[in-house]
Amino acid sequence: MSQDDFAFAERFACLRLARTDGVGPVAFQHLVGRYGTAAKALAALPELARRAGRAPVTYTPEQAYAELTEGELMGATLLCVAEPGFPEALRVLDPPPPVIWALGDAALLHRRAVAVVGARVASAAGCRFARGLAGELGAAGLVIASGLARGVDAAAHEGALPTGTVAVLGGGIGDVYPPENAGLYRQIAERGCIVSESAPRRKAQAKDFPRRNRLISGLSLAVVVVEAELKSGSLITARMAAEQGREVLAVPGSPLDPRARGCNDLIRQGAAVCEGADDVLRAIEAIRGFRAPPPPAYVLGDEATPPELLERVFDLLSPTPVHVDELARQVGAPPGAVFAALVELSLAGRVELAPESMAMRA
Amino acid sequence: MSQDDFAFAERFACLRLARTDGVGPVAFQHLVGRYGTAAKALAALPELARRAGRAPVTYTPEQAYAELTEGELMGATLLCVAEPGFPEALRVLDPPPPVIWALGDAALLHRRAVAVVGARVASAAGCRFARGLAGELGAAGLVIASGLARGVDAAAHEGALPTGTVAVLGGGIGDVYPPENAGLYRQIAERGCIVSESAPRRKAQAKDFPRRNRLISGLSLAVVVVEAELKSGSLITARMAAEQGREVLAVPGSPLDPRARGCNDLIRQGAAVCEGADDVLRAIEAIRGFRAPPPPAYVLGDEATPPELLERVFDLLSPTPVHVDELARQVGAPPGAVFAALVELSLAGRVELAPESMAMRA
């Protein structure tokens, strides 16, 4: 089936389901898995959420239509996880992003890519290195992914403009940040590809950056960190890359340079040393594709979760994430039933689902 | 038995045997193992060498006496491998150095030590780092070993002067090189310890530096390389450290700094990242002593090697090192007999024995 064949109604339902309060990537994946299509899951939502204690705040058809119109007027394309045009690299993530917007050459999302990320307040040498590395990797046929931040990110995009670069935004398409990267943004939109998990023009918030970082590493065979202080956001990207089974490389630096601390620490933890493009090419040469996504961790029954199970699960939760299996042990119910309860509580806005089968009070 | 009880005659014989042409540490170890004492091995030498084709150039009693007199007049002490005062760290090397001279506080050779080595043409930052690291490790109770070279070595010694430092020379005691380190040499002789495998005042030659590096790493639980270009001598010290089972650490640096190349490459090959004293302390905290020396690789018989075996072994040799086992396969003789033949050929100056059971034409 081609992208055009992907029914408009299902696409529309995907967007509405993905944007519904309490439906993150985890709940989205399980609801579509349970009901077969986004449209059917969407139809089941009100009842599920009501039973969990609250009417769901679904994304209305008007909102979805407005988002689609806005994005398409900007020239962007909505890609839904279930459709054939969705990038394989993101489809295999656990969980995959339900929908992404792409502006520019979306074909770049299907090519072998490497992420080059790093400090916003980077040294001139760090930027020069990132630019050169991106150029060399681009010449070797790789797409360069990064986050359009100041410093290393911008330099990496610049170096890869002639050969292909993908910028993943924290906010929506059209939310250009920082302002000084507006020119670079336009060039990437024309010659590369801008990607976002958010609705067009939505302003980036702090919580969007881990999501953005997850997509940067997800799109890539390897993540190269160029200059990063300890506690830098680039280290989150590196950690996500490792969790996603991607290669992690770091550019070493002097212990006297605070901007090298994060990179040296990554190397200490097992990241490969990156002194140039050869190191990256060596790290990825054997990779022929992405790891298949893991099978669903929990098999959900068709039956509605008994209300008292919903409350017993909720009572066990706190703002600290806890694993579904642990909850299942404590309530003495099958993990699948507990997970279903968590999804329903999430729809009611009472629970937050995190990757790796963790849950906490919203 | 105390050091004083170690018979003067045996000490004298050790020195003569160790300084005899064709007797390197490998042959020394095997000859003393075969004959029981250095004196007996020395007595057997003329006959062994003659059968291998050449009269041996033994170190005469006059030469040995002159060396002992010279060293002791300088205030230095000769330490022989078989005597109780010989440093355990060096005794367990394979092969150990047969004799060393020590000037200054030889007790330092029995304490836990870490080597800090690196580029002669070091950056100011590299020297500062080495000096600080040596000071911190010294404060943590460790002796700092290095090679009294320009740059990193000198800085490491300086940093550890108050707490204890050992300088291993390529030449003999009194051969101060480079000249600008004369002041540092004097301070180490007074407050630390100067060590050499060579005869006092002997000028260092190129071939002495790998021997010196082997002692630097041998004396140490870990070797830290601070700044090293590719093909730096410090990398030889690091390789020897790894062969000796010592920990290897390297201080990372920017790929744009040529002086970081060797260190980054070491890290790529598995050296631990060193950003400060904590990394070193962590690397050695579990080490409670040195690995026992391996048992002799070959059991030598008491019988003299048949002359035709000597010649068949010699015919198979070239200037390229070959393993004793390989030679034994090719001549169809027991490895122990072939090794004995090689020791005898070495005494005749026709063969060079290398560590790890390798041999080549001299």
Side-chain angles (χ1 to χ4, degrees):
Chain A
M1 129 173 135
S2 80
Q3 195 169 330
D4 291 341
D5 297 332
F6 191 69
F8 177 82
E10 178 63 5
R11 185 186 196 74
F12 199 75
C14 264
L15 181 59
R16 288 189 61 201
L17 184 61
R19 298 276 186 251
T20 288
D21 278 4
V23 179
V26 176
F28 183 96
Q29 182 180 37
H30 282 273
L31 288 168
V32 173
R34 183 176 194 171
Y35 293 99
T37 66
K40 286 183 190 162
L42 198 64
L45 269 194
E47 172 59 18
L48 283 177
R50 223 172 346 257
R51 287 197 302 111
R54 205 183 288 182
V57 185
T58 52
Y59 208 53
T60 65
E62 291 71 25
Q63 287 173 305
Y65 184 75
E67 175 173 342
L68 279 168
T69 306
E70 171 125 63
E72 288 174 3
L73 277 175
M74 295 168 80
T77 308
L78 182 76
L79 298 172
C80 302
V81 64
E83 66 185 310
F86 198 80
E88 171 76 359
L90 298 182
R91 198 180 58 72
V92 300
L93 296 186
D94 179 29
V99 296
I100 59 169
W101 280 98
L103 173 65
D105 182 6
L108 292 174
L109 307 178
H110 298 274
R111 279 174 47 194
R112 286 166 71 86
V114 165
V116 176
V117 299
R120 285 189 298 275
V121 187
S123 72
C127 289
R128 179 155 63 96
F129 185 88
R131 197 176 293 114
L133 180 69
E136 284 178 53
L137 292 174
L142 292 159
V143 169
I144 300 301
S146 197
L148 199 73
R150 287 189 185 91
V152 168
D153 284 23
H157 287 305
E158 284 162 13
L161 265 179
T163 48
T165 189
V166 174
V168 184
L169 306 185
I173 301 279
D175 175 42
V176 181
Y177 185 87
E180 64 262 41
N181 282 350
L184 182 58
Y185 175 94
R186 276 192 300 275
Q187 288 183 286
I188 299 173
E190 277 165 27
R191 306 166 70 181
C193 187
I194 309 265
V195 169
S196 166
E197 210 175 333
S198 299
R201 299 212 187 277
R202 191 162 163 282
K203 292 273 170 234
Q205 298 174 301
K207 72 174 170 54
D208 293 324
F209 289 99
R211 296 199 312 160
R212 176 199 66 163
N213 295 347
R214 193 175 83 95
L215 259 56
I216 293 173
S217 56
L219 280 167
S220 307
L221 298 164
V223 170
V224 184
V225 182
V226 183
E227 290 193 344
E229 305 212 13
L230 291 174
K231 303 191 178 175
S232 151
S234 304
L235 303 186
I236 298 176
T237 312
R239 184 169 54 75
M240 287 179 167
E243 286 173 8
Q244 292 163 348
R246 312 300 200 243
E247 299 295 317
V248 179
L249 298 96
V251 178
S254 163
L256 302 173
D257 177 2
R259 283 182 281 231
R261 295 271 162 80
C263 287
N264 291 343
D265 214 44
L266 283 175
I267 293 168
R268 191 182 280 118
Q269 291 164 36
V273 171
C274 175
E275 291 188 294
D278 284 350
D279 290 314
V280 182
L281 296 174
R282 217 177 3 254
I284 64 168
E285 69 184 348
I287 307 176
R288 289 285 158 267
F290 293 101
R291 238 180 7 189
Y298 303 103
V299 179
L300 306 185
D302 282 339
E303 295 141 48
T305 307
E308 85 279 3
L309 180 57
L310 283 173
E311 294 313 317
R312 273 166 59 216
V313 168
F314 183 75
D315 287 345
L316 285 171
L317 291 170
S318 78
T320 305
V322 62
H323 197 277
V324 173
D325 290 348
E326 176 60 29
L327 291 170
R329 255 192 303 279
Q330 294 206 26
V331 297
V338 171
F339 191 77
L342 289 168
V343 169
E344 291 164 29
L345 287 163
S346 157
L347 295 175
R350 300 170 69 192
V351 156
E352 200 170 319
L353 295 173
E356 310 203 347
S357 308
M358 304 293 279
M360 64 199 110
R361 279 199 189 191
Chain B
M1 137 170 131
S2 80
Q3 196 169 329
D4 291 341
D5 297 333
F6 191 69
F8 177 82
E10 177 62 7
R11 185 188 196 78
F12 200 75
C14 264
L15 180 60
R16 288 188 61 202
L17 184 61
R19 298 276 187 251
T20 289
D21 278 4
V23 180
V26 176
F28 183 96
Q29 181 179 39
H30 282 273
L31 288 168
V32 173
R34 186 177 193 168
Y35 294 100
T37 66
K40 286 182 190 164
L42 197 65
L45 267 194
E47 172 59 16
L48 283 176
R50 222 172 348 255
R51 287 197 302 111
R54 206 182 289 181
V57 185
T58 51
Y59 206 55
T60 63
E62 291 72 25
Q63 287 173 304
Y65 185 75
E67 175 172 341
L68 279 169
T69 307
E70 172 127 62
E72 289 173 2
L73 278 176
M74 297 169 77
T77 308
L78 182 76
L79 299 172
C80 302
V81 64
E83 67 184 310
F86 199 79
E88 170 76 0
L90 299 181
R91 198 180 57 74
V92 300
L93 296 186
D94 180 28
V99 296
I100 58 170
W101 279 99
L103 174 64
D105 181 6
L108 292 174
L109 307 178
H110 298 274
R111 280 176 44 195
R112 287 166 71 87
V114 166
V116 176
V117 299
R120 285 188 299 274
V121 187
S123 72
C127 289
R128 178 155 62 97
F129 185 88
R131 196 176 295 114
L133 179 68
E136 285 178 53
L137 293 173
L142 292 159
V143 169
I144 300 299
S146 197
L148 200 74
R150 286 189 185 90
V152 167
D153 285 22
H157 287 305
E158 283 161 14
L161 264 179
T163 49
T165 188
V166 174
V168 185
L169 307 185
I173 302 279
D175 175 42
V176 182
Y177 184 87
E180 65 262 41
N181 283 351
L184 182 58
Y185 174 95
R186 274 192 302 274
Q187 289 183 286
I188 299 173
E190 276 164 28
R191 308 167 67 182
C193 187
I194 309 264
V195 168
S196 166
E197 210 174 334
S198 300
R201 301 212 186 276
R202 192 162 162 281
K203 292 271 171 235
Q205 297 174 301
K207 71 174 170 56
D208 293 325
F209 289 98
R211 294 199 313 161
R212 176 199 65 164
N213 294 346
R214 193 174 82 95
L215 258 55
I216 293 172
S217 55
L219 279 169
S220 307
L221 298 165
V223 170
V224 184
V225 182
V226 183
E227 291 194 343
E229 306 213 10
L230 292 174
K231 304 192 178 173
S232 152
S234 304
L235 303 186
I236 298 177
T237 311
R239 184 168 55 74
M240 287 178 168
E243 286 173 9
Q244 291 164 348
R246 309 301 198 244
E247 299 296 317
V248 179
L249 298 97
V251 179
S254 163
L256 302 173
D257 177 2
R259 284 183 280 230
R261 294 272 163 79
C263 287
N264 291 343
D265 215 43
L266 283 175
I267 292 168
R268 191 182 279 117
Q269 291 163 37
V273 171
C274 175
E275 291 187 293
D278 283 349
D279 290 314
V280 181
L281 297 174
R282 217 177 1 254
I284 63 169
E285 69 183 348
I287 306 176
R288 288 285 159 268
F290 293 102
R291 239 180 5 190
Y298 303 104
V299 177
L300 306 184
D302 281 340
E303 294 140 49
T305 308
E308 85 279 2
L309 180 57
L310 283 173
E311 294 312 317
R312 275 165 59 215
V313 168
F314 183 74
D315 287 346
L316 284 172
L317 290 170
S318 78
T320 306
V322 60
H323 197 277
V324 173
D325 289 347
E326 176 60 28
L327 291 169
R329 258 192 300 279
Q330 293 206 25
V331 299
V338 171
F339 191 77
L342 289 167
V343 169
E344 290 165 28
L345 286 163
S346 156
L347 295 176
R350 298 170 70 191
V351 156
E352 201 170 319
L353 294 173
E356 308 203 349
S357 308
M358 305 291 280
M360 64 199 111
R361 278 198 191 194

